[in-house]
Amino acid sequence: MENQIAEANRRLATSAGQGGPNFVQNAILGPLRDKRVAAIQRIQIAFQRVGAQPPAGLEGLATCAVQDDGTGNNDGDQNDGDQNDGDQNDGDQNDGDQNDGDQNDGDQNDGDQNNGDQNNGGAAGQIVCPSVANRLGQVPARAQAEVQRNLQQLENQIAEANQRLATSAGQGGPNFVQNAILGPLRDKRVAAIQRIQIAFQRVGAQPPAGLQGLATCQLGNGDPGNGNNDGNDGNDGNDGNGGDQARGPVPEDFVDIRSVQPNVRTPRTQQNGSRGTFSVDCGRNEGRIFNSDNVIVAPGVPNGAQHTHDYVGNESTNHRSTNESLAAAGTTCRNGDRSTHYWPVLRALGQQEFDANQRGGGLDLNVGKILTPVSVQITFKGNPSSKVVPAPRFLRIITGNARVGGAEPNAGWTCTGFENRQLTDKYPLCPRGSRLVRIFDFQSCWDGANIDSANHRTHVTFPQADGSCPQGFQPIPALEHRLVYNVPQGPNFAVDGFPEELHKPITDHSDFINVMTEEQMQQIVDCINSGRRCR
């Protein structure tokens, strides 16, 4: 917190004369208060973790003010008493921000990122930042914990910035978004990226080149600050919420499944392979358990996914979930398995839904009626070349990739009756009598040590072409999610996604946290290895 104050004072000194009458509040005092709220919350959590009661009233100490030093430099209009009128930080803006900015000495953003023409003041939209995780490649094992911590901070920072963007619409002058949101966000990202680079260097590895070039973010409409999406209004008839909110999909994202050649190949099971299957009935999310959190990628961050997830299995999964809370929760699975399974919802375009004006829904450009699957099949399968071993409790796996151009975009789209042909980059248009199918095959080779990794991928991988696991990995039960839907005829449906990804089908993905007991997991392993079909 002392570092935060020192940084803010440096910004105050070096920015004299910049901005309009609210510059200090918007660009310095507001962000400082957000950082102090987060730091104070961590102090409170430190007390609670050891069973102690934190002192009362700490959050009331978060707000700072500019003190007149007698030089006449404070003319009164930058600190007029209403610095914190309640709408700068609504309490949940920064509850996931682990980055208190203390490694950013304030001189890393020399002002040339703020050229004055990037914003028109409080423009609605979404902040888009280049992906750092996708540029890291193989992270050294000894650096993974620190890299993961800072990747999470980058996610938290974006979520916080988007929240500030949403709650400050209409505030400030022409440079408000740049000065109060994008500029401070860049500073935080510079510091987090530097720490990632240092984590590589500490273990004797060379950090990837060009990471600092990923620090600058902009508004997601591709024209920072113009506040509208009219560059992509060719699809404005699809959103059901008026105007051009829904950006994508476009007709080119769809293809008639009958025009696709069979392309599904499965390795032949060898003599030592494991042929059994174990199916778990966890329902179809009939209870409509939804949220736009992602506890794997963005723990502690509300709306960390910026799109709505369907949930089956564990009934308590959200951004606050812990291993302990998941293990104690209820479940929709009939066999008592408390594992959590979640994926982005599929929507029928042109219809209204309850979240049309909520984060994760319409505020993140995800619009249309949420479709409940006709069926959800959760199946664990064997390995073609060997027996499987138990997966560890609390193992986390993500299959598919929510980012266009990201690694392993393997989620499959197909239609009933045509499942020997699958697509990853197109939505299939199914003939009458056929239903839409989403298929998620999860990585089934585990490194034998970790339940997660910095990029949520390197601790697990897919089998090789012959079905065997790469050296250093061992086969675990192979999870498959198979979801079947009735969808409107024609190109009138879309999967939820990050606003900037334009609802491309290649961004589909699914998530799994194993909360099975050892006994439940062993039951699955025994079934698969003995070649039985179990439910």
Side-chain angles (χ1 to χ4, degrees):
M1 295 179 78
E2 293 295 329
N3 294 336
Q4 294 166 3
I5 296 171
E7 175 192 353
N9 275 314
R10 281 193 293 269
R11 292 206 70 203
L12 187 67
T14 58
S15 63
Q18 292 183 19
N22 298 316
F23 175 82
V24 172
Q25 173 58 43
N26 293 336
I28 300 176
L29 291 176
L32 175 60
R33 182 183 187 279
D34 291 347
K35 293 179 184 179
R36 286 173 61 85
V37 166
I40 289 169
Q41 286 177 338
R42 292 195 290 274
I43 290 172
Q44 292 171 318
I45 291 170
F47 275 78
Q48 294 164 348
R49 280 176 176 161
V50 297
Q53 183 69 25
L58 291 184
E59 296 221 0
L61 307 177
T63 301
C64 302
V66 175
Q67 183 179 62
D68 193 337
D69 59 3
T71 65
N73 290 331
N74 181 12
D75 62 7
D77 65 359
Q78 292 192 350
N79 183 18
D80 60 3
D82 63 356
Q83 289 178 340
N84 184 19
D85 61 2
D87 60 7
Q88 291 285 333
N89 184 358
D90 65 1
D92 66 358
Q93 282 185 340
N94 196 29
D95 64 0
D97 184 358
Q98 298 288 325
N99 181 12
D100 61 9
D102 60 9
Q103 296 205 21
N104 182 7
D105 62 6
D107 61 3
Q108 290 176 344
N109 185 6
D110 60 5
D112 62 3
Q113 293 291 328
N114 181 12
N115 58 11
D117 64 0
Q118 291 199 341
N119 289 282
N120 69 350
Q126 281 292 327
I127 290 170
V128 181
C129 302
S131 172
V132 175
N134 290 342
R135 292 281 294 274
L136 295 182
Q138 185 70 32
V139 179
R142 288 184 296 154
Q144 285 183 0
E146 177 66 8
V147 169
Q148 172 59 31
R149 186 176 74 86
N150 284 286
L151 287 175
Q152 184 57 62
Q153 288 177 0
L154 290 168
E155 295 290 337
N156 295 343
Q157 293 161 8
I158 296 171
E160 175 194 354
N162 271 312
Q163 175 64 11
R164 293 204 70 209
L165 186 68
T167 58
S168 63
Q171 293 183 18
N175 300 317
F176 174 84
V177 174
Q178 177 59 44
N179 292 336
I181 301 177
L182 291 177
L185 175 60
R186 182 185 183 277
D187 292 346
K188 292 181 182 180
R189 285 175 62 83
V190 165
I193 289 170
Q194 284 181 332
R195 291 194 291 273
I196 289 173
Q197 293 172 313
I198 291 170
F200 275 78
Q201 294 164 347
R202 280 176 177 161
V203 298
Q206 183 68 26
L211 292 184
Q212 288 291 346
L214 307 177
T216 301
C217 305
Q218 62 179 8
L219 290 188
N221 54 22
D223 183 13
N226 68 5
N228 59 51
N229 288 333
D230 59 4
N232 189 27
D233 58 7
N235 193 38
D236 58 7
N238 282 341
D239 68 32
N241 278 314
D244 52 3
Q245 262 194 324
R247 302 171 61 218
V250 295
E252 291 75 20
D253 291 326
F254 296 82
V255 66
D256 189 327
I257 191 65
R258 292 170 294 188
S259 68
V260 179
Q261 295 299 310
N263 56 11
V264 175
R265 304 285 184 269
T266 55
R268 179 174 298 179
T269 302
Q270 302 170 23
Q271 184 175 356
N272 294 328
S274 42
R275 301 173 179 270
T277 63
F278 192 102
S279 299
V280 183
D281 182 0
C282 297
R284 302 178 289 115
N285 197 18
E286 296 94 334
R288 290 174 65 84
I289 301 173
F290 303 123
N291 63 52
S292 57
D293 300 344
N294 191 333
V295 68
I296 296 179
V297 174
V301 182
N303 195 40
Q306 292 182 264
H307 52 263
T308 298
H309 284 128
D310 260 323
Y311 288 87
V312 301
N314 201 288
E315 295 179 313
S316 72
T317 313
N318 58 46
H319 70 277
R320 294 183 295 270
S321 295
T322 63
N323 291 345
E324 293 74 21
S325 70
L326 293 173
T331 180
T332 66
C333 299
R334 292 188 177 181
N335 67 343
D337 177 9
R338 291 184 172 87
S339 296
T340 183
H341 307 262
Y342 59 101
W343 47 80
V345 299
L346 193 70
R347 296 182 189 255
L349 301 176
Q351 302 179 49
Q352 195 87 338
E353 188 53 270
F354 74 93
D355 60 354
N357 297 303
Q358 296 180 16
R359 293 188 298 168
L363 293 182
D364 287 309
L365 309 185
N366 294 300
V367 295
K369 178 179 174 59
I370 294 174
L371 299 174
T372 300
V374 174
S375 70
V376 172
Q377 296 174 344
I378 297 174
T379 307
F380 293 90
K381 302 178 180 180
N383 180 275
S385 66
S386 65
K387 306 300 184 187
V388 298
V389 302
R393 197 176 197 200
F394 304 120
L395 175 70
R396 287 149 164 80
I397 311 180
I398 302 172
T399 191
N401 198 304
R403 299 291 187 182
V404 173
E408 299 174 342
N410 58 283
W413 296 89
T414 186
C415 301
T416 57
F418 298 87
E419 291 185 42
N420 63 342
R421 55 197 84 181
Q422 289 187 20
L423 303 162
T424 59
D425 61 347
K426 301 287 185 184
Y427 293 113
L429 295 174
C430 305
R432 292 190 181 277
S434 176
R435 289 170 166 167
L436 181 75
V437 183
R438 297 163 74 185
I439 295 179
F440 304 102
D441 288 314
F442 284 74
Q443 299 89 317
S444 57
C445 297
W446 171 52
D447 69 4
N450 299 293
I451 62 170
D452 202 357
S453 52
N455 61 2
H456 312 293
R457 295 183 184 277
T458 53
H459 64 300
V460 288
T461 191
F462 288 97
Q464 301 173 111
D466 65 354
S468 64
C469 287
Q471 186 175 1
F473 289 83
Q474 49 192 296
I476 57 175
L479 172 61
E480 179 187 85
H481 291 163
R482 180 180 181 272
L483 317 178
V484 181
Y485 295 85
N486 287 324
V487 296
Q489 285 296 114
N492 294 310
F493 59 90
V495 69
D496 264 22
F498 290 107
E500 63 272 20
E501 302 300 345
L502 306 180
H503 303 284
K504 296 296 183 183
I506 202 169
T507 65
D508 204 8
H509 57 283
S510 194
D511 303 70
F512 168 65
I513 303 176
N514 173 35
V515 193
M516 282 180 257
T517 64
E518 290 184 7
E519 293 78 11
Q520 289 170 330
M521 175 57 68
Q522 191 62 51
Q523 183 183 9
I524 291 176
V525 168
D526 291 344
C527 173
I528 290 173
N529 286 340
S530 63
R532 292 178 287 140
R533 295 181 180 273
C534 309
R535 298 188 69 86

